[in-house]
Amino acid sequence: MTFTTQAWNTITPIIDAIERHPFVTALGDGSLPRPTFDYYMAQDAAYLHDYSRMLALAASQAQQADESLFWAGSSQTANSVERTLHASYLGADPNAMKIVASPTCTAYTSWQAMQAASGSYPQLVASLLPCFWIYEYVGQHLLRSAGNLEGHPYQDWIATYADPEFAKSCATARSITDRCCDPLTGAEAEAAMHAFVTSSRYEWMFWDAAWRVEEWPV
């Protein structure tokens, strides 16, 4: 069994919880209040700013040229293509906005930075994969649920993550993860799996924070 097969089986309860989360269901049927969605998009922009840096670090740690090129390209995409998506909803370039990252957003990006600092390339890659894979899954799930996106208030968001090109990127990320994580044994394998599962938990927490419009308590 490959690392990614085992990893996805492990997070089945998390995926089920994501599908049932009111933010995701409301996003899918179009009933999500626009202010809640705008809050989410602002937080996502803050997240992607740091996530793109972690992707660049993965590119610098990769030992194979194709892997380095993939992570570097993904970093650029996070900074350009998805920024355009955010700007289309927020009405401004997120980089020009004063966005205060929420506690959950800060915790998630800090967690990934810890994996980057660990010196373990497989551990870092495993922590980055859920952002690819779970978004692809949710995009496809919402597309199937919504059917025809014409007139849907969040059609651009759903179409972005249900796009076949994004699916190709996700497949490449999974392939790279298997390539570097399949040979791991013992404590190293456990650490990589823990990195993947924890990031997957943060994915659920990120949508939950958006649903609650989470703010710093003090």
Side-chain angles (χ1 to χ4, degrees):
M1 182 182 297
T2 65
F3 175 87
T4 56
T5 298
Q6 182 182 353
W8 192 258
N9 290 341
T10 300
I11 67 166
T12 296
I14 299 173
I15 297 301
D16 290 343
I18 287 173
E19 284 187 18
R20 296 192 308 269
H21 197 282
F23 182 95
V24 175
T25 57
L27 177 63
D29 65 24
S31 65
L32 185 68
R34 184 56 187 264
T36 304
F37 182 75
D38 288 348
Y39 170 91
Y40 159 77
M41 291 297 278
Q43 289 302 311
D44 197 41
Y47 168 80
L48 286 174
H49 175 74
D50 285 337
Y51 183 66
S52 67
R53 295 166 61 197
M54 297 306 106
L55 291 168
L57 283 173
S60 72
Q61 293 181 18
Q63 297 299 308
Q64 298 193 26
D66 63 330
E67 295 182 11
S68 183
L69 286 170
F70 173 75
W71 297 125
S74 298
S75 176
Q76 182 180 18
T77 297
N79 269 320
S80 57
V81 176
E82 294 194 52
R83 186 174 68 187
T84 301
L85 174 66
H86 287 81
S88 70
Y89 282 106
L90 296 175
D93 184 342
N95 284 357
M97 300 172 66
K98 293 182 178 180
I99 300 171
V100 177
S102 69
T104 295
C105 181
T106 301
Y108 191 3
T109 56
S110 297
W111 162 253
Q112 290 173 328
M114 285 175 59
Q115 308 319 299
S118 72
S120 169
Y121 172 65
Q123 204 168 307
L124 171 58
V125 167
S127 76
L128 298 176
L129 180 59
C131 187
F132 280 91
W133 200 352
I134 292 177
Y135 267 63
E136 177 202 9
Y137 180 86
V138 169
Q140 295 288 349
H141 169 69
L142 294 184
L143 181 62
R144 288 192 300 270
S145 300
N148 186 356
L149 292 177
E150 185 176 355
H152 194 291
Y154 305 119
Q155 61 178 319
D156 289 347
W157 190 98
I158 296 173
T160 294
Y161 295 108
D163 186 80
E165 289 302 313
F166 184 65
K168 289 180 182 179
S169 294
C170 294
T172 300
R174 289 193 294 270
S175 177
I176 292 173
T177 304
D178 281 335
R179 187 190 302 174
C180 63
C181 290
D182 281 352
L184 301 179
T185 59
E188 290 183 334
E190 291 178 5
M193 186 62 69
H194 180 62
F196 178 86
V197 173
T198 300
S199 286
S200 300
R201 287 178 172 141
Y202 273 121
E203 288 293 331
W204 180 92
M205 291 172 64
F206 199 89
W207 276 309
D208 186 65
W211 183 248
R212 294 181 288 108
V213 191
E214 182 185 63
E215 301 288 348
W216 289 93
V218 292

